[in-house]
């Protein structure tokens, strides 16, 4: 049985797709057979971030409608043989998805995969609901600013009440916090919420902090998940996140501000 | 020509019952002297004539009946109507008064709860005991109440985790929150003015007891991360530190 992970947030633009791409690549590189599904029907992005947009023949909606088999629609990643991408349809909308259809696809994928990562669209409407409905774990991606935190809180409420596990009275979805686009310098200036502020509001297990980083934009533009850029801070942050999720103990990084050469030399505050 | 909606008379449902609650003033009487009621009612109404014009009102006879003071329902209704109010209910009346009110097509309300069927036999105190015990069930919540979630308790409500901004917690009885309270909190929602709110860290968006409320803007001075209790005194919410 596969473990189904939903990457969700409520708010848009916080880094759900970047996280989905990085986390699924990270899991695959650790030797787990992983599928990543783009639930953002109509605003297809995941294939761009994964660099497979030119290989899309069939999509998620085709499989739901029975116009293609799952194997025809799954795209094998060019960097890692353990990773498969199920792209969204760009020409349909979220009403093309149905609860039964999504359930059937996830069931079928569960037979052969270890992890299924569901990249949720923004909002709390149908697409987001279907992305999280069958989840076992939820990665809640939040930016350190009030509206994003508020939306994440709302999403956590929905995870606790509107998911399959909630409806069947099973063990609740395991929720993890990923604080993305974090900038310690701006926290220090009081322009951004700190890790502690966000954790106090959401009271959630912190899986990792990813720094605001140029490497993310570069990675997206070139179609390679940022986790493959092992030299970049964001790539290392995502590698830590995957390791922690798989049970490794890793100290949190990227929470304190970077010290300049001067600071390093004198070690002062 | 008047327009008639084009519903299929055989298949379409054109009505439904929905539950809704409205704030209605209750006229508490402490004397059965009708002429006195008449003059004092007029004085009160002259303070805000527009506010009271055609306002629905429920009259409460519980105090009169406690003191064994009888009152003519028909005459009382006339006095209230003369003052420009529309009596829509009687509360705290004895059986004879309730029957009289029903004959005047005025509904009968029980002390705190919804409509009471006029056919129910008057309860003796010993019969009432188990009923209140069942009604005042306490709801215990251990999970965080997130933004957009709503929790309702028929009795008391105890919450051990945080209540996020944008969440709403309601109870017919008291509310206890042993964590930070950042959402909207409404105690005594069916009119129990003795209900209280207790919390260990008040940062609420709105607090209300039996319909008397304060919003966050008026509460800023009380946000100091200390346990407080909130209760009602003469229609005013009192926020007090618990030491």
């Amino acid at each position: 049985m596969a473990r189904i992970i939903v990457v969700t947030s409520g708010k848009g633009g916080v880094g759900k797709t970047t996280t989905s791409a990085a986390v699924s690549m990270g899991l695959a590189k650790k030797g787990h057979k992983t599928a990543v599904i783009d639930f953002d029907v109509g605003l297809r992005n995941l294939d761009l971030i994964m660099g497979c947009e030119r290989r899309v023949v069939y999509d998620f909606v085709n499989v739901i409608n029975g116009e293609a088999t799952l194997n025809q629609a799954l795209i094998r990643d060019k960097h890692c043989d353990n990773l498969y991408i199920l792209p969204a349809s760009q020409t349909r909308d979220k009403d093309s998805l149905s609860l039964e259809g999504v359930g059937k696809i996830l069931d079928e994928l569960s037979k052969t995969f270890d992890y299924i990562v569901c990249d949720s669209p923004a909002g709390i409407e149908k697409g987001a609901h279907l992305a999280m409905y069958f989840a076992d774990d939820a990665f809640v991606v939040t930016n350190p600013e009030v509206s994003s935190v508020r939306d994440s809180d709302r999403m956590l409420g929905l995870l606790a009440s509107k998911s399959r596990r909630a409806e069947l009275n099973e063990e609740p979805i395991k929720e993890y916090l990923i604080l993305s686009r974090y900038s310690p310098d701006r926290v220090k200036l009081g322009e951004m919420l700190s890790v502690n502020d966000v954790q106090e509001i959401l009271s959630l297990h912190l899986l990792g902090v990813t720094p605001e980083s140029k490497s993310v934009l570069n990675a997206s533009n070139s179609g390679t998940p940022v986790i493959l850029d092992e030299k970049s801070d964001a790539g290392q942050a995502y590698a830590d996140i995957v390791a922690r999720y798989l049970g490794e103990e890793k100290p949190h990084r990227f929470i304190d501000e970077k010290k300049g050469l001067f600071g390093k030399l004198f070690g002062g505050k | 020509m008047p327009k008639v909606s084009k519903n299929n008379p055989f298949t379409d449902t054109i009505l439904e019952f929905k539950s809704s609650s409205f704030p209605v003033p209750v006229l508490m009487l402490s004397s059965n002297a009708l002429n006195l009621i008449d003059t004092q009612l007029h004085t009160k109404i002259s303070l805000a004539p527009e506010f009271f014009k055609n306002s629905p009102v429920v009259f409460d006879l519980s105090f009169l009946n406690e003191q064994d003071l009888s009152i003519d329902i028909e005459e009382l209704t006339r006095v209230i109507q003369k003052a420009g109010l529309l009596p829509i209910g009687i509360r705290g009346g004895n059986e004879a008064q309730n029957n009289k009110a029903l004959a005047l097509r005025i509904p009968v309300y029980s002390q705190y709860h919804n409509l009471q069927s006029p056919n129910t036999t008057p309860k003796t105190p010993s019969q009432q005991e188990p009923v209140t015990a069942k009604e005042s069930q306490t709801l215990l919540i251990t999970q965080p109440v997130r933004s957009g979630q709503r929790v309702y308790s028929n009795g008391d409500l105890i919450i051990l985790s945080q209540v996020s901004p944008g969440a709403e917690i309601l109870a017919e009885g008291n509310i206890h929150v042993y964590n930070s309270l950042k959402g909207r909190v409404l105690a005594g929602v069916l009119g129990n003015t003795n209900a209280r709110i207790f919390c260990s860290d008040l940062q609420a968006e709105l607090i209300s007891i039996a319909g008397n409320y304060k919003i966050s803007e008026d509460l800023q001075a009380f946000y100091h991360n200390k346990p407080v209790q909130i209760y009602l005194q003469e229609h005013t919410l009192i926020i007090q530190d618990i030491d």
Side-chain angles (χ1 to χ4, degrees):
Chain A
M1 268 306 271
R3 196 88 188 153
I4 301 173
I5 303 168
V6 61
V7 179
T8 187
S9 71
K11 197 171 183 300
V14 295
K16 285 183 294 296
T17 302
T18 302
T19 301
S20 299
V23 165
S24 54
M25 178 62 80
L27 290 167
K29 286 193 58 152
K30 291 258 183 188
H32 303 286
K33 198 174 175 197
T34 306
V36 56
I37 307 176
D38 190 352
F39 272 79
D40 207 347
V41 177
L43 292 168
R44 189 176 100 189
N45 276 165
L46 182 69
D47 50 324
L48 293 172
I49 310 283
M50 304 289 295
C52 65
E53 76 276 12
R54 275 179 252 150
R55 291 190 285 150
V56 175
V57 184
Y58 294 108
D59 59 50
F60 196 13
V61 173
N62 292 137
V63 183
I64 285 185
N65 293 343
E67 294 151 8
T69 65
L70 201 46
N71 284 332
Q72 284 175 306
L74 283 172
I75 304 170
R76 181 186 287 215
D77 186 78
K78 59 189 172 201
H79 303 286
C80 184
D81 288 348
N82 279 327
L83 181 59
Y84 290 80
I85 300 121
L86 183 56
S89 171
Q90 182 72 348
T91 52
R92 316 287 181 92
D93 61 29
K94 275 139 191 113
D95 292 329
S96 322
L97 300 176
S98 66
L99 198 65
E100 303 80 52
V102 173
K104 238 174 85 185
I105 290 182
L106 289 176
D107 266 351
E108 207 176 324
L109 286 172
S110 286
K111 288 177 198 154
T112 46
F113 285 88
D114 301 324
Y115 289 100
I116 303 168
V117 178
C118 302
D119 180 23
S120 170
I124 53 172
E125 276 73 42
K126 194 173 182 185
H129 177 245
L130 289 174
M132 64 88 160
Y133 185 79
F134 296 97
D136 302 306
D137 299 316
F139 289 6
V140 179
V141 184
T142 305
N143 286 172
E145 48 105 9
V146 281
S147 60
S148 174
V149 172
R150 176 71 67 94
D151 290 358
S152 294
D153 193 55
R154 176 90 170 100
M155 187 46 84
L156 287 161
L158 294 174
L159 288 167
S161 59
K162 293 274 154 61
S163 63
R164 184 182 59 97
R165 280 174 174 267
E167 283 174 7
L168 297 179
N169 251 331
E170 289 178 13
E171 191 191 333
I173 295 177
K174 268 211 186 101
E175 300 154 345
Y176 300 92
L177 174 66
I178 293 180
L179 196 56
S180 63
R181 311 190 70 166
Y182 195 73
S183 166
D185 301 335
R186 298 188 60 195
V187 172
K188 205 182 170 202
L189 290 172
E191 298 173 347
M192 225 179 224
L193 295 174
S194 72
V195 181
N196 290 339
D197 292 339
V198 177
Q199 270 205 287
E200 196 198 321
I201 300 172
L202 294 178
S203 53
L204 211 57
H205 177 73
L206 180 70
L207 196 57
V209 175
T210 68
E212 175 82 72
S213 167
K214 271 188 242 161
S215 55
V216 173
L217 192 60
N218 292 339
S220 300
N221 288 338
S222 65
T224 44
V226 70
I227 199 168
L228 294 175
D229 184 357
E230 284 162 16
K231 289 201 186 75
S232 73
D233 45 0
Q236 291 171 17
Y238 277 115
D240 283 2
I241 284 171
V242 171
R244 278 189 210 109
Y245 173 69
L246 293 173
E248 287 176 44
E249 293 274 341
K250 290 250 178 189
H252 284 289
R253 295 195 272 173
F254 313 108
I255 292 178
D256 299 318
E257 60 198 301
K258 268 179 256 167
K259 285 192 182 123
L261 183 61
F262 220 63
K264 271 182 193 159
L265 280 175
F266 295 102
K269 292 213 167 174
Chain B
M1 220 181 100
K3 219 169 155 185
V4 177
S5 59
K6 288 183 198 130
N7 287 67
N8 183 334
F10 301 105
T11 55
D12 291 3
T13 315
I14 52 140
L15 52 80
E16 63 178 313
F17 282 105
K18 282 200 165 168
S19 169
S20 185
S21 53
F22 304 92
V24 175
V26 177
L27 183 62
M28 311 290 288
L29 294 175
S30 50
S31 159
N32 63 346
L34 284 164
N35 55 345
L36 220 57
I37 295 173
D38 190 22
T39 43
Q40 291 204 2
L41 201 53
H42 274 99
T43 325
K44 270 261 190 274
I45 285 173
S46 63
L47 295 173
E50 277 307 306
F51 178 78
F52 284 109
K53 195 176 170 191
N54 293 332
S55 165
V57 67
V58 172
F59 50 90
D60 189 308
L61 306 180
S62 44
F63 184 78
L64 294 188
N65 286 324
E66 266 170 39
Q67 310 291 320
D68 274 330
L69 298 169
S70 64
I71 191 162
D72 185 339
I73 301 297
E74 207 168 341
E75 279 302 314
L76 175 64
T77 313
R78 198 164 298 146
V79 166
I80 293 172
Q81 282 169 341
K82 207 180 87 190
L85 300 172
L86 303 171
I88 59 151
I90 176 173
R91 198 168 78 168
N94 59 31
E95 203 179 356
Q97 287 167 334
N98 288 351
N99 287 337
K100 196 78 177 274
L102 282 171
L104 293 166
R105 314 200 69 75
I106 293 174
V108 176
Y109 291 91
S110 70
Q111 201 60 35
Y112 290 123
H113 293 277
N114 296 325
L115 274 173
Q116 194 184 33
S117 152
N119 300 329
T120 48
T121 47
K123 290 169 194 154
T124 61
S126 62
Q127 274 176 306
Q128 223 161 1
E129 212 66 37
V131 178
T132 39
K134 191 182 146 223
E135 275 180 356
S136 61
Q137 270 175 352
T138 301
L139 182 64
L140 175 72
I141 304 280
T142 53
Q143 294 294 314
V145 185
R146 303 287 186 184
S147 180
Q149 286 185 317
R150 215 154 173 260
V151 177
Y152 187 96
S153 167
N154 297 110
D156 285 2
L157 178 59
I158 302 176
I159 297 181
L160 297 179
S161 38
Q162 59 170 5
V163 178
S164 295
E168 196 168 54
I169 53 173
L170 308 99
E172 291 170 24
N174 307 304
I175 295 179
H176 306 250
V177 180
Y178 298 104
N179 210 315
S180 60
L181 169 55
K182 297 178 182 169
R184 298 157 67 90
V185 50
L186 298 94
V189 285
L190 291 185
N192 182 0
T193 49
N194 293 320
R196 290 189 180 207
I197 298 167
F198 305 86
C199 66
S200 47
D201 177 15
L202 179 69
Q203 298 178 46
E205 294 174 318
L206 177 141
I207 54 174
S208 160
I209 295 174
N212 300 277
Y213 66 90
K214 269 194 162 77
I215 53 171
S216 165
E217 211 169 64
D218 310 326
L219 292 170
Q220 295 298 326
F222 299 98
Y223 293 171
H224 45 35
N225 197 4
K226 267 192 195 156
V228 294
Q229 65 159 327
I230 302 155
Y231 59 92
L232 207 53
Q233 199 174 61
E234 315 259 322
H235 302 286
T236 307
L237 288 172
I238 309 290
I239 302 170
Q240 202 177 61
D241 285 2
I242 307 173
D243 288 316

